[in-house]
Structures are given as structure tokens and as C-alpha cells.
Amino acid sequence: MLSRRNFLTAAVGVAAAGGLAACAKEDDGASSSSSGDGGKAITLGFSQVGSESGWRSANTDSVKAAAKEAGYTLKFSDAQQKQENQISAIRSYITQGVDVIAFSPVVVTGWDAVLKEAKAKKIPVVLTDRSVETSDESLYVTLVGSDFTDEGRRAAKILEKVIAKAGLKGAVKIAQLEGTTGAAPAIERAKGFKEVMDASHKDDWKVVVSQTGDFTRAGGKQVMAAFLTSNPDINVLFAHNDDMAIGAIQSIEAAGKKPGKDILIVSIDGVKDGFVAMSEGKINAIVECNPLLGPQLMDVVKKVKDGETVERWIKTEEGDFMQDQAAAALPSRKY
Ligand code: GZL
């Protein structure tokens, strides 16, 4: 199972100068800069998972805004949730000789070959948001992102509060909407949730059905409709992200049930639409997963380019929200 370790890495080399190459759905997000020392602006190649959710859109906006603020030349590509598009984007950044490559890997496996090509060209790689499984720790410098296993644990713990508050008695029959199959957040959120279930709820909680909704609203709606047909006695939904929960709410209401009452809902992310659904009483609690990684990413890119030592995992700060906190929190939500 995927595990991430906190350890300091050695300083990394600086990238080569680049040539020219096209890349799927790429755009240069930032103008070149005054780098302060009169040197050449940092060129960052960034491969994004896609645009599957509100979280992803906020993450993209944060990366582009922070690159512009930092004065970096950003080469950005949207992989439309396909690993092969990410691999070809990374290859094009290698060909262009960018200073640093950063990406959010859509799934955890299948990256060693292309990361070895970047290493051969001495282009350092930074992971953001999601991690990879690799036997060669030298293939990337650091991960800037959340602890998804802990998010899963937090989801189970806040579900305890939701059940108590709702006065739900008897068997807790849980439907789980999983994220993208093979993605670190899907693997690790399920793992963390199960850890708490196994430790504290062996006798009263049961995940009666679990399937991927691919982190999208359409996926959540479609899979929840199927869940309600096969398991009409579901009384809890654990969704790996708000977008799938929002899609599921449509199917729950279409089935004549009340989301947040007949079926208690806990989800992860904390996007604005998730908070709106919470303020309407349709989602009972949300575990926050912060997408605003841009500033931390640009800071670490500069350090990596300058050959400084950086921590192996730069975690993001995030909180948990019960339904009665939603209305007050909404005005200050940044994504
Ligand atoms: C989590 C991120 C996940 C979000 C989803 O860091 O990778 O992908 O939870 C997004 O909303 O699609």
C-alpha cells in the first residue's frame, strides 16, 4: 500500500537550457520575469490531471496565479485524466529543457520510465497533490500535498459526530463513492476510513457497496443511482470528493429520499458548492483538502532550481467542517 515518508533529500542539480516542442493542451501561463538577480526566468513545465472537479479547477487557478506572481514561465498542460497525456507532456518538457517539471500524477503507478528520462537530463521533478509508487526515491525531489490517509481517518471520525448528531440508531450501512481507480487520494482515503472502521466500528458499521465515480459529478450521480437500486437501505454515503457527493444528491432526491437526513453524507474537499450543499442541509460534514498549492509549489521550485535541500513531503494545512459551520464559513471560502 502506498506510504509516504518524511525525510530530507540531498540537493538536486539544475536543469539544462531548452529547445522548442508542442504539447497537448499547453499554454504558457506566465510571462518571463525579472528574476531579481538579472538571471533568466525559471521555466516550469506543469502537467495537470485534468479538469474533473471543482477542486481541480481551483488547483489549476492557484498554480497559474502563483507562477505569474513568481514571474516564472509556465508551460501548462491538461491531461484530461489520461496518464498517457501526462507522460507525453512530461516528455515534451524534457525536450524543451525546462528548469523544473511538476505534475499531479493521475494514478500512482507507471511513472518510472519517464521520470528516469527526466533524471537523465538532470531536470528535477516535483510532485504536487498526488503521489506515485516508485522503488527509486531519487526520481522526484518532493511532494507538495495533503495526507489522504489522514483525510480518510478524519472522514470516519467526523462521521461518528454526524451519526450521533442525527441520532441514527442501529446498523450503519455505508455506500462509498471512490475516487479515480488507482489514484493516491482514492487508495489512501479508503485506507484511512477503513482503519477507523476496523478499530472502532467492527460491529455497527458496514460498507455495503463501494465503487468509483471517478471524482466527477456525473460519476457520482450515475453510481449513486445504481447503489440505491441494489442497496435501498443505505443510510450513509462517504464520498471521496464533494463533486461526487453533489452528483449523488441528485440521485438521492430522484429516489424520493432526503440527502442529509434519510442518507447522511460525509465528503472530502471543501469546495464552495460543497459548502452550499452543507448550508442547505444536504451534506452533513466535509473534510477539507486544500487545492491552493500554487504558492508552496513555486517556493519549492525556486529552492530546487537553486539546488537547496527541501523536505520530502511538504504538507498542506486543512480543517474539518460540520453542517452548522457551513453558513458562517461560506463567505471566506477561497475555492
Ligand atoms: C485530492 C485531489 C482529488 C480531489 C478531487 O488532492 O487529487 O482530485 O479530492 C480531485 O476533487 O478530482
Side-chain angles (χ1 to χ4, degrees):
M1 186 55 72
L2 188 64
S3 66
R4 300 180 187 158
R5 281 172 288 165
N6 260 334
F7 55 82
L8 289 178
T9 51
V12 291
V14 173
L20 285 174
C23 167
K25 287 190 68 119
E26 174 186 332
D27 64 83
D28 288 351
S31 57
S32 55
S33 82
S34 55
S35 55
D37 55 7
K40 179 173 167 294
I42 290 175
T43 300
L44 170 64
F46 188 93
S47 167
Q48 180 59 293
V49 167
S51 51
E52 74 282 0
S53 64
W55 190 100
R56 189 64 55 200
S57 304
N59 179 247
T60 291
D61 293 347
S62 177
V63 167
K64 287 185 173 178
K68 198 170 189 71
E69 175 66 25
Y72 297 175
T73 299
L74 176 68
K75 293 185 177 299
F76 180 93
S77 61
D78 170 341
Q80 299 168 313
Q81 286 192 282
K82 292 182 175 61
Q83 180 172 32
E84 60 269 27
N85 289 349
Q86 289 200 285
I87 290 171
S88 64
I90 292 168
R91 284 207 167 107
S92 82
Y93 298 145
I94 294 168
T95 304
Q96 295 175 63
V98 298
D99 294 308
V100 181
I101 291 170
F103 75 114
S104 172
V106 60
V107 292
V108 294
T109 54
W111 303 101
D112 277 14
V114 72
L115 295 183
K116 282 176 180 156
E117 292 167 28
K119 182 180 176 183
K121 295 288 187 186
K122 295 186 170 34
I123 299 177
V125 174
V126 171
L127 301 183
T128 80
D129 170 27
R130 300 181 183 179
S131 48
V132 300
E133 277 178 1
T134 177
S135 54
D136 181 350
E137 297 288 352
S138 73
L139 292 180
Y140 68 89
V141 176
T142 183
L143 163 70
V144 179
S146 304
D147 183 339
F148 302 134
T149 305
D150 196 47
E151 289 174 353
R153 294 189 198 102
R154 286 157 49 200
K157 286 174 186 161
I158 208 164
L159 176 57
E160 291 172 338
K161 291 184 188 166
V162 165
I163 288 170
K165 194 174 175 69
L168 178 61
K169 303 289 182 221
V172 175
K173 297 175 180 174
I174 301 167
Q176 179 174 224
L177 279 170
E178 301 167 19
T180 303
T181 302
I187 294 167
E188 295 176 29
R189 286 169 182 167
K191 176 188 168 196
F193 189 88
K194 186 176 184 299
E195 270 179 21
V196 174
M197 266 189 61
D198 291 349
S200 313
H201 296 286
K202 267 197 180 311
D203 303 329
D204 54 342
W205 292 11
K206 187 172 186 318
V207 175
V208 295
V209 65
S210 186
Q211 190 180 326
T212 182
D214 209 18
F215 281 133
T216 66
R217 294 191 185 195
K221 180 178 180 181
Q222 184 183 351
V223 174
M224 191 67 200
F227 283 170
L228 290 165
T229 304
S230 63
N231 297 79
D233 55 352
I234 293 164
N235 51 20
V236 167
L237 168 63
F238 167 42
H240 288 186
N241 82 329
D242 296 345
D243 285 74
M244 292 191 291
I246 290 164
I249 284 167
Q250 294 174 40
S251 292
I252 292 168
E253 291 176 329
K257 293 178 181 249
K258 290 192 178 64
K261 292 194 176 25
D262 301 328
I263 297 181
L264 303 176
I265 301 179
V266 170
S267 78
I268 299 176
D269 273 355
V271 296
K272 202 159 280 178
D273 286 350
F275 271 76
V276 168
M278 240 191 332
S279 66
E280 292 168 348
K282 297 182 179 179
I283 291 180
N284 299 87
I286 291 181
V287 168
E288 191 180 38
C289 175
N290 187 347
L292 307 181
L293 305 176
Q296 282 176 301
L297 173 60
M298 299 314 150
D299 177 57
V300 80
V301 162
K302 175 84 173 61
K303 287 176 178 161
V304 166
K305 166 94 171 40
D306 292 345
E308 292 178 36
T309 300
V310 295
E311 285 185 46
R312 185 67 175 166
W313 183 4
I314 299 164
K315 285 191 191 178
T316 44
E317 297 303 317
E318 43 209 32
D320 303 333
F321 296 85
M322 291 290 284
Q323 194 174 85
D324 56 11
Q325 297 170 283
L330 249 175
S332 57
R333 296 300 298 167
K334 296 192 183 74
Y335 63 94

